[in-house]
Structures are given as C-alpha cells and as structure tokens.
Amino acid sequence: MKSLLSKDQVSMRDVFGETLLKLSLESDKVYAIDGDLANSTKIDAVAKGNPSRFLQMGIAEQNMMSVAAGLAATGLQPWAATFAAFLSKRAIDQIQVQIAQPKLDVKMIGAYSGLLTGVTGKTHQSLEDIAIFRSLANMVVLAPADSTEVGRMMEFAHKYEGPVYMRLARDPYPIIFNEDYHFEFGKAVHLKEGTDITIISTGTQTSRSLAAAEQLEADGISVAVIHMPTIKPLDKEAIVKAAENTGVIVTAEEHSIYGGLGSAVAEVLVEEKPVPMLRVGVKDLNSESAKNDDLLEKYEISSGHIVKRVKEALTKKNSSI
C-alpha cells in the first residue's frame, strides 16, 4: 500500500505561533496570553510580530486564566498558551468556574502534551488533560494529527464562540493532510479503509496508527484507520459504523487509558454497538523523562505496540464469533 505519511515533518507549535500572529493581525479581538513559555509554545511569534496583542502573565497559570476570563467578558478573544500539564492541573478551578460555566470565548492551548516533551521532566508531561477537559460542561476538546490540521482547527476555533481546549505536541510530526484539507467540527476523518479491524486514534497517535496499519497490511490484515480530531463532541455515528463494518476496535492515544479517547469510544460502544475493543495508551503508571523512542516503548504506545494490540483484538473478535 502507498504510505499516507509524508516524509516531511513540521512542528505543530510552529504553525500555532504563525497562525495566531495572523489571526491577531486580522482581528481586533484576538490577544495572546503567555505563561512565561513563549519561546517553547511559539506564542512569541505574536510578541515579536504584533506586541500590542501580547500579554505576559508570568509563571502564574491561575491568574492567567482569570485574566483570560476577564478579557473574554469584555468581548475580546484571548488565546492562552502554556504546557498542557500546567493548564489542565494548576488552573482547572479557574477554567471550570470562570470560563467553562459561563461559556466564555477563551481558547486554551495545551502545548507539550503527552509523554514526548523534550526531556523536560515528569512534572511537565500531561497524560490526564483530555480526561480533565472533556469532563467540563460547555468545553470543546481538540487534538490535531499534524501541523496542517492545527491551522485549520485554529481557524474554526476563532469563529466558534465558546471555550476550546486544543492539545499540541512539541516535536515535528509527519504531514498527513494536504493544503486542501478542511476541518469539520465534531467529525471523524476516515484516513484508510479496511475490513478486518478499525483503529480509532487521535493527535500524535494517528501518524503511529497509520505506520502500524502499513505493517499490518504487509501481514495480510486489512485495517481501517479513523482519526478523531474532535474528542468532544465525539463523532458517535462514525464509531458505530466502524463497529458495524469491522466488528472490532482498537483505540490509540498519547494519554492515559483512563478518561481519554479510549474511554470515550468505549462509552459509545457499550450503549450503541458492543463489540470487542482494546486500548493503546499509558496504563496506570506515572511518567518519567527519557528519550522519545525509549518512552514510546516503555509505556507501550509505539506503532509496534499498536500492531500488537490489533492482533490481540483480532483474536478476541475471532473467539467471539
């Protein structure tokens, strides 16, 4: 099969910075709010290119989100960026009470999500952010698969009136979508057709799921791959159809198996179309800092581990027939 992964790799955070600068130049409403990590999140593009729209809050995430709520209450559109670990855990009370409950127009960018955070240490890794944010009423939760999708999601978020959480990866990832790609809010993206099993993935795990599918095809296994860019609201119809078409599901995410994409998909299946299902994600473990490949292997979320779980899931499917 022809690879769906480009050899070109681009960082999500670079496109985030460039796109936010563009939005701030085009719209009087847009402000960039930084938690003293501008050169890491690349929100410094606004600080350099449109400094009157850049607000430095320092290492004070709770205050940063209160300021964001205040700006949104006056009709502005703040984009608050910091590491996903800090946004989802240090500032969650302010986010829930001051932003999510009144449904204010605040865009929250969780940079350096997941395990692969450039050896910054386990305090800077986030395996719980999807679970936390999708539990909040009125909250939209997005996880792009590549840099192209980042730009399209931001264009949507700018037009959408309400709180949005978007998780971004630190390192470059393969390009999956071309420039004609159109992001559809709340809709899954069918990347590959298959008849034996469906992999439903989100964020960074989508490129690893495509790599796994290529390996599985070489072994004679027909794999469908569905990318889920919108985790809340979830595309329930796509999940049910996948269950009907292949009869077995594997989910893949760079996140804890508790409360994230896998849990969300399981909730749909148990109510609508029970089929065998397995999850690829970080199990009941605390993270640690190391090189990327070592972390992917230790926490069993590499493309090789997706291959392994697909074969295990197929065994469950066959035994249930």
Side-chain angles (χ1 to χ4, degrees), residues 125-174:
Q125 295 165 319
S126 179
L127 300 173
E128 311 86 5
D129 55 309
I130 293 175
I132 291 168
F133 277 99
R134 84 176 186 95
S135 70
L136 302 182
N138 296 324
M139 187 65 66
V140 166
V141 181
L142 307 175
D146 71 357
S147 57
T148 302
E149 193 167 42
V150 170
R152 302 300 184 271
M153 278 185 176
M154 291 179 69
E155 292 167 0
F156 154 77
H158 175 53
K159 296 175 183 177
Y160 176 83
E161 293 187 7
V164 174
Y165 173 69
M166 183 188 305
R167 77 183 324 234
L168 300 182
R170 174 188 184 275
D171 296 333
Y173 276 81

Side-chain angles (χ1 to χ4, degrees), residues 176-197:
I176 297 173
F177 302 109
N178 60 35
E179 290 302 316
D180 295 331
Y181 172 69
H182 173 68
F183 168 71
E184 283 193 76
F185 176 52
K187 295 296 183 181
V189 182
H190 296 262
L191 294 175
K192 181 184 174 301
E193 298 300 323
T195 57
D196 294 329
I197 191 168

Side-chain angles (χ1 to χ4, degrees), residues 55-126:
L55 301 176
Q56 176 57 260
M57 296 291 104
I59 307 174
E61 292 83 6
Q62 294 172 335
N63 179 63
M64 178 173 74
M65 301 317 297
S66 292
V67 170
L71 291 171
T74 68
L76 300 175
Q77 186 182 82
W79 290 67
T82 185
F83 289 176
F86 306 154
L87 195 59
S88 63
K89 288 176 279 191
R90 289 187 186 172
I92 190 59
D93 186 46
Q94 284 72 23
I95 291 170
Q96 180 183 22
V97 175
Q98 299 175 343
I99 296 172
Q101 287 184 6
K103 200 177 180 181
L104 292 181
D105 192 24
V106 178
K107 314 309 172 187
M108 291 154 278
I109 308 300
Y112 283 51
S113 66
L115 282 173
L116 311 186
T117 60
V119 201
T120 54
K122 61 184 179 182
T123 57
H124 290 50
Q125 295 165 319
S126 179

